[in-house]
Amino acid sequence: MNKITNETINKAESEAVSGKKTILSGIQPTGVATLGSYLGALRNWAALADTYSCYYSIVDMHAITVRQVPAELRRLQYEQLAVLIACGIDPDKNVLFVQSHVPAHAQLAWVLNCYTMFGELSRMTQFKDKSSKNADNINAGLFSYPALQAADILLYRPDLVPVGADQKQHVELTRDIAVRFNGIYGDVFKLPEPYIPKVGAKIMDLQKPTSKMSKSEIDNGGCVLIMDKPEDIMRSFKRAVTDSETSVRYDAKNKPGVSNLMQIYSVCSGKDFGAIEKEFEGKGYGELKTRAGEAVIELFRPIREEAARLIGDRAYLQAVMKDGAKKASFTANKTLSKVYKKIGFIEL
Ligand code: ATP
Ligand code: LTN
């Protein structure tokens, strides 16, 4: 009879039994969902559950590497969970959980800290960025953040880690840590691949259409949020920067503002650029701004309403968190226990 090892069980679980490969991603609770992140990421994530076993963690432990107001952090976690569910990330088909509810993250992070080099962490661009923005609070957690992220990932043995391009370096470091650990103790961790979706829709800032729409630029009025009120969305579109011509024509290089509005309208309405150019023949930019604004309002209306309804249902959100923590812990604890054994900790 074949000997069934932990490894075969893990493998069977993540691939054969479910017939699916595994995906894991972490989302900062402080990250507000923008039109850009919705079209570039969240919308696609909802569809992944049919093909993959998906784990999504709201990473509260990462959030405290910069100072947070406790009540606000709590509120944002409920809001983030509600928005993810309202975007179609169904808690019955995906494992949705809060990082601190699964202690294995902190436990494995400590171990991995001891297998991560000072020099490696010093080279992380997010650390350099964030420490220059928070010069009065360059704490050890901010520095060792990537070891915690490596723990988040390696605990679930994912095949793919969907992230924005800025996170590629952290996934590569995760692989380096895993290779180092496996080199000493055998085949403990599975090496994950970053999964950077071809952002068919790279949505640009409405005020600065040459830069990506980003939550860091929220104050300039060029960034639209899923939870924004319809009148605020319309105001942002009406003020969108265009150019001094009058014709609605796609030319991302010379007409970035108009092309971005066309892109947004196209993704929301399903019409291609040719059809849009025809639709607006002889009409001004004002009309395009209004139509694009209306399309986004209609796209977000059901999501915003559902998220608002869910935010009002704390009991449901807590039940989702509890269920997610239970499912995530089951997988995470198996990996942790294997690691503890390998490094010589005593199991009681
Ligand atoms: P920051 O302003 O701090 O860089 P962000 O607004 O880019 O943050 P992230 O949390 O880094 O937000 O992004 C979440 C996900 O959404 C990532 O996978 C990222 O690639 C995607 N995304 C963010 N902004 C856009 C955009 N404008 N167009 C397409 N995809 C985007
Ligand atoms: N560092 C990421 C968030 C994050 C993450 C993860 C992403 C924490 N843990 C695990 C993917 C996998 C960020 O700042 N966006």
Side-chain angles (χ1 to χ4, degrees), residues 70-309:
E72 183 62 2
L73 180 59
R74 219 175 339 262
R75 186 187 72 73
L76 284 168
Q77 289 175 78
Y78 283 114
E79 181 177 298
Q80 190 70 279
L81 180 61
V83 168
L84 291 174
I85 299 170
C87 284
I89 303 170
D90 180 347
D92 291 331
K93 294 189 191 159
N94 300 268
V95 181
L96 281 175
F97 67 103
V98 174
Q99 186 183 30
S100 68
H101 293 165
V102 182
H105 289 249
Q107 293 169 300
L108 182 61
W110 177 254
V111 175
L112 297 184
N113 262 311
C114 304
Y115 296 81
T116 308
M117 299 301 132
F118 185 89
E120 288 174 320
L121 293 172
S122 315
R123 285 193 289 276
M124 294 295 116
T125 48
Q126 189 172 34
F127 171 69
K128 291 188 214 162
D129 266 14
K130 288 207 176 176
S131 49
S132 68
K133 283 184 194 151
N134 302 280
D136 56 342
N137 184 22
I138 306 178
N139 59 74
L142 190 64
F143 185 66
S144 66
Y145 177 119
L148 176 59
Q149 184 164 348
D152 298 341
I153 297 172
L154 297 173
L155 282 171
Y156 301 92
R157 308 176 58 79
D159 299 277
L160 298 174
V161 180
V163 281
D166 61 315
Q167 292 299 313
K168 192 166 169 243
Q169 200 185 25
H170 287 168
V171 181
E172 280 162 0
L173 177 60
T174 299
R175 287 173 62 94
D176 292 344
I177 297 169
V179 167
R180 180 172 301 134
F181 196 93
N182 287 352
I184 306 170
Y185 302 104
D187 190 17
V188 178
F189 295 127
K190 182 164 178 174
L191 301 190
E193 294 284 344
Y195 176 62
I196 300 170
K198 284 187 209 88
V199 192
K202 184 174 182 191
I203 305 302
M204 310 307 264
D205 188 284
L206 295 176
Q207 285 300 316
K208 232 185 342 169
T210 44
S211 354
K212 188 187 83 156
M213 183 183 283
S214 150
K215 64 192 177 225
S216 325
E217 299 289 334
I218 239 153
D219 296 335
N220 79 356
C223 177
V224 172
L225 305 181
I226 295 183
M227 295 304 279
D228 277 349
K229 294 196 200 84
E231 56 271 30
D232 294 338
I233 297 182
M234 189 50 87
R235 191 174 323 113
S236 298
F237 273 89
K238 286 207 164 140
R239 289 187 187 156
V241 166
T242 47
D243 54 57
S244 54
E245 290 183 11
T246 50
S247 67
V248 172
R249 183 166 51 80
Y250 191 84
D251 178 352
K253 193 156 174 258
N254 299 308
K255 294 166 74 68
V258 169
S259 303
N260 188 38
L261 288 169
M262 286 178 72
Q263 162 105 267
I264 294 170
Y265 184 50
S266 166
V267 182
C268 296
S269 67
K271 297 176 185 171
D272 64 21
F273 293 149
I276 296 174
E277 283 173 6
K278 245 200 186 129
E279 182 177 340
F280 290 95
E281 229 168 45
K283 294 182 183 141
Y285 291 159
E287 185 116 8
L288 173 65
K289 291 180 185 179
T290 309
R291 291 274 177 84
E294 283 166 357
V296 171
I297 289 168
E298 288 320 310
L299 181 75
F300 283 168
R301 188 187 302 283
I303 299 175
R304 189 171 60 98
E305 287 174 359
E306 178 62 358
R309 188 186 71 75

